[in-house]
Amino acid sequence: MKNLIKLEEAFMLILAIAGLMFFNVPWWGYTLLLLGPDISMLGYLAGNKTGALTYNLFHHKAIAILVLLIGFYMKAETIMITGIILFGHSSLDRMAGYGLKLNEGFSYTHLGRIGKQPL
């Protein structure tokens, strides 16, 4: 089942890349897809709860789709591209096993704990 979910996330990432290609986004837009939303990890400097909140705002697919739809409604290409980047990055993270964060700390996600587990 885990591989099936990773495959699904891979197709969503491909869809996001196709969206960026559709809008003729320059190369640095793809760099933003890879790294941009991870700036939200700076929220962890204010504690686990704030860190989880900021991280989840930038990595929640429903928020990404909402941003895309707002951009579509406003006919604002930049906002649509932002939604695509957020969506694609979230898919990339899910493929790597990083889920939405829980308040216990960065390693605790809705997909399970990440990192080495104590014996």
Side-chain angles (χ1 to χ4, degrees), residues 39-82:
I39 193 147
S40 62
M41 287 189 282
L42 290 174
Y44 279 97
L45 295 173
N48 287 338
K49 190 173 182 179
T50 303
L53 176 67
T54 58
Y55 184 92
N56 291 343
L57 281 173
F58 280 74
H59 290 81
H60 199 289
K61 287 186 180 181
I63 292 173
I65 292 169
L66 181 63
V67 170
L68 176 66
L69 291 174
I70 289 169
F72 182 77
Y73 177 76
M74 296 175 60
K75 296 178 177 35
E77 192 173 293
T78 304
I79 297 173
M80 286 189 276
I81 291 169
T82 301

Side-chain angles (χ1 to χ4, degrees), residues 3 5 9 15 28 31 36 47-48 58 64 75 104 107 114 117:
N3 287 332
I5 292 172
E9 296 295 343
L15 180 65
W28 53 264
T31 304
N48 287 338
F58 280 74
K75 296 178 177 35
E104 288 80 16
S107 298
I114 54 177
Q117 308 301 316

Side-chain angles (χ1 to χ4, degrees), residues 3-19:
N3 287 332
L4 183 61
I5 292 172
K6 286 183 179 185
L7 182 63
E8 181 181 32
E9 296 295 343
F11 279 111
M12 285 188 262
L13 175 60
I14 290 168
L15 180 65
I17 291 170

